[in-house]
Amino acid sequence: GRFMTFLRDNLPLDAECTAVDLSPYYLDAARENDAYWRKTRRKEENRNNRSNGSILGKDDIKPLRLIQSQAENLPFENESFDAVVCVYLFHELPRTVRAKASSEMSRVLKKGGVLVLTDSIQGGELDRPGFDTRIGKFSEMNEPFFADYCEDNLAGHFVDEELTPLGKIVMSSTKSLSFTK
């Protein structure tokens, strides 16, 4: 739920945002974080806008829309979203489900929209001798799909769905891939 507050910090206050998670517990945490974010942001905006008399009321910042769903079976109409962001999910999924989730994300993304996938780095992405042989061992620590994730062509899943790659950023042990439709 914290990621959505960071995302909303960088969007207009009237932006409509939807978060999807399979876990009802994570959705509850996201709901609590969102309520706190809206309260804090409203106070900040009102403090900054006192001089012009533009005061936000309790309902002026819409709550986050929270949906419990599998990523591979999203309950949205085709081309529903301007942007789709997926954070640290793909290493948790078997390869076949990654492909289905990629297809679903592409399906709900509007033409001209942007999709961003952020997850763990994979083998061959760092100039650290020996790291490639050790990164897959993370699967031995309750991450059963991680070794396969490290070998998977993530961009290929989205290219197969006719998305166009925009860029790749690698920082520390995280990477982000971006695509457009």
Side-chain angles (χ1 to χ4, degrees), residues 2-139:
R2 288 287 297 140
F3 173 76
M4 290 303 292
T5 63
F6 300 140
L7 184 68
R8 291 184 83 182
D9 275 338
N10 292 283
L11 295 171
L13 289 176
D14 62 352
E16 294 181 23
C17 296
T18 301
V20 175
D21 203 295
L22 185 58
S23 166
Y25 306 105
Y26 284 175
L27 290 171
D28 286 343
R31 188 173 292 106
E32 290 175 17
N33 282 328
D34 183 63
Y36 179 78
W37 178 86
R38 284 183 289 117
K39 177 182 169 186
T40 304
R41 186 64 189 264
R42 186 174 54 251
K43 285 181 183 178
E44 179 183 326
E45 290 294 319
N46 287 340
R47 184 174 44 252
N48 292 339
N49 292 329
R50 244 179 252 194
S51 61
N52 68 13
S54 175
I55 302 298
L56 292 174
K58 182 179 178 190
D59 298 324
D60 286 341
I61 303 175
K62 292 181 183 177
L64 191 58
R65 183 169 77 154
L66 299 163
I67 306 294
Q68 184 178 5
S69 176
Q70 297 173 320
E72 66 272 26
N73 190 24
L74 296 172
F76 307 113
E77 297 291 323
N78 294 349
E79 298 191 359
S80 303
F81 296 95
D82 296 309
V84 173
V85 179
C86 179
V87 180
Y88 271 87
L89 172 67
F90 270 36
H91 75 275
E92 303 281 356
L93 304 174
R95 189 179 297 223
T96 56
V97 177
R98 279 182 232 134
K100 289 176 185 174
S102 302
S103 178
E104 280 292 278
M105 288 182 231
S106 176
R107 181 185 66 78
V108 302
L109 184 65
K110 289 180 182 177
K111 189 156 188 76
V114 174
L115 186 145
V116 177
L117 172 74
T118 297
D119 212 309
S120 173
I121 57 169
Q122 297 172 284
E125 294 188 304
L126 295 176
D127 186 19
R128 296 183 190 164
F131 190 77
D132 284 354
T133 60
R134 292 193 311 262
I135 191 168
K137 293 184 186 286
F138 196 63
S139 62

